[in-house]
Amino acid sequence: MHSRFRSDRRLTTRMGITLFLLGLLYVGFVAALIVLLKSWVLVVVVAAGLLGAQYWFSDRIALYAMRGRVVEREEYPGLHGVVDRLCALADMPKPVVAVSDMDMPNAFATGRNPDHAVVCVTTGLLRRLEPAELEGVLAHELSHVAHKDVAVITVASFLGVIAGLIVRFAFYSQVLGGGRRDQNTAVIFAAVMGVSAAVYALSFLLIRALSRYRELAADRAAALLTGRPSALASALTKVSGDIARIPTKDLRTAQAFNAFYFTPALGREPGVARLFSTHPSLEQRLDQLGRISAELGEAAAPGEV
């Protein structure tokens, strides 16, 4: 499937390298677990099952976690109208449209390919943005679908998820059952925890590096498709400012899905969290949009990319 979103070879290269490195890490991780747990059948079946579920049901999992629901045209005609126009402009299949009843202004795209994709916006976003700003945000999300980086980030995040789950399981097993375990079992659990923690850390860094670039690529593609980078910049400024005013405790549930969001769910004082952010800084994103605006002169007709 070829859309009118401008292709990004650097994004494609980064996705390929990330998947290759994560694939090597995944094979090594599974091999280490087989050696430590001495049950290749259990490890392979569980790992393959979780990977399959992550790939095939990622859209449903994300919608459920973020309290999103599919909406029809009759309920949100304006939202569907914008998506219809952008999909026609980009010459791509229309994704399922969903709305999450959350005050946090944000949006995300998920799904394994352009034919099985979902674009979801929060009610908080719909209340705050002007039509041109909403168009810019939705064009950003649709570019993730067209570039297929949504599927890549979904698969890439799987390894970190399973490693994190194993670390937690090993930790609580030791804490709750430490008195009943012999020394050999304790050593095995400690080794599993160590390997899982290392894999989680490496996958975390690889995903962050890809995620930050893909957000810049999506901003660029959206600005060029719509021909209005200033509208996207306005949406970014407005959404980032409003999110910063939402109490941190209300953002904690959303933060697990930061890699998928239009802008990260960070509190008033993110501090060191910015160093490991899934997104480039607001300043970087606005600088890029400013350069595109200067190149286009804000005079390019929508779709002339």
Side-chain angles (χ1 to χ4, degrees):
M1 194 278 295
H2 297 284
S3 74
R4 293 198 183 105
F5 277 108
R6 179 170 291 185
S7 61
D8 191 316
R9 290 184 179 178
R10 287 184 294 175
L11 175 61
T12 302
T13 301
R14 286 169 182 254
M15 289 193 296
I17 292 173
T18 299
L19 283 179
F20 176 73
L21 292 175
L22 284 170
L24 291 179
L25 194 60
Y26 183 58
V27 171
F29 181 48
V30 170
L33 290 182
I34 290 174
V35 171
L36 290 169
L37 300 179
K38 296 180 174 60
S39 177
W40 70 269
V41 174
L42 175 63
V43 172
V44 171
V45 169
V46 171
L50 289 174
L51 177 59
Q54 180 91 347
Y55 181 75
W56 289 98
F57 304 111
S58 59
D59 51 347
R60 301 180 192 179
I61 294 170
L63 281 180
Y64 176 78
M66 295 312 301
R67 305 197 300 274
R69 62 184 181 87
V70 176
V71 296
E72 301 300 332
R73 183 183 302 277
E74 294 74 20
E75 190 174 0
Y76 284 90
L79 176 60
H80 272 270
V82 175
V83 175
D84 284 338
R85 178 178 177 278
L86 288 171
C87 287
L89 197 61
D91 190 23
M92 63 181 291
K94 181 182 179 181
V96 172
V97 178
V99 170
S100 172
D101 188 17
M102 297 178 65
D103 186 54
M104 178 190 71
N106 228 319
F108 67 90
T110 185
R112 63 185 184 272
N113 57 48
D115 292 317
H116 299 87
V118 177
V119 171
C120 180
V121 298
T122 66
T123 52
L125 185 83
L126 293 175
R127 284 197 301 270
R128 289 171 170 86
L129 297 190
E130 299 298 325
E133 295 169 336
L134 178 62
E135 181 184 68
V137 172
L138 288 172
H140 172 104
E141 296 304 329
L142 288 173
S143 77
H144 283 314
V145 175
H147 290 155
K148 301 179 182 177
D149 56 89
V150 166
V152 172
I153 208 72
T154 297
V155 173
S157 65
F158 162 75
L159 188 56
V161 169
I162 189 172
L165 288 175
I166 290 175
V167 169
R168 291 184 184 182
F169 174 76
F171 174 76
Y172 287 115
S173 294
Q174 278 296 96
V175 170
L176 299 178
R180 298 188 300 273
R181 299 188 184 281
D182 58 32
Q183 186 175 358
N184 289 337
T185 303
V187 169
I188 291 174
F189 267 83
V192 169
M193 184 181 290
V195 170
S196 300
V199 168
Y200 178 81
L202 290 172
S203 62
F204 179 92
L205 294 174
L206 286 171
I207 291 168
R208 263 47 182 185
L210 172 63
S211 183
R212 283 191 291 269
Y213 184 84
R214 86 184 188 110
E215 293 302 329
L216 289 173
D219 285 346
R220 184 164 51 248
L224 292 172
L225 182 76
T226 63
R228 289 188 281 189
S230 61
L232 180 56
S234 176
L236 266 170
T237 303
K238 187 179 292 185
V239 169
S240 298
D242 285 352
I243 285 179
R245 287 190 286 271
I246 294 177
T248 302
K249 63 182 179 64
D250 295 335
L251 299 177
R252 286 173 184 163
T253 300
Q255 286 173 353
F257 291 87
N258 269 348
F260 294 90
Y261 281 134
F262 170 63
T263 191
L266 299 175
R268 293 186 183 88
E269 298 179 359
V272 73
R274 284 199 181 279
L275 298 176
F276 303 103
S277 177
T278 53
H279 292 59
S281 68
L282 176 62
E283 291 74 19
Q284 285 179 282
R285 299 176 76 174
L286 293 180
D287 285 347
Q288 176 182 248
L289 291 172
R291 291 193 298 272
I292 295 173
S293 181
E295 291 169 5
L296 296 179
E298 288 285 320
E304 292 183 358
V305 298

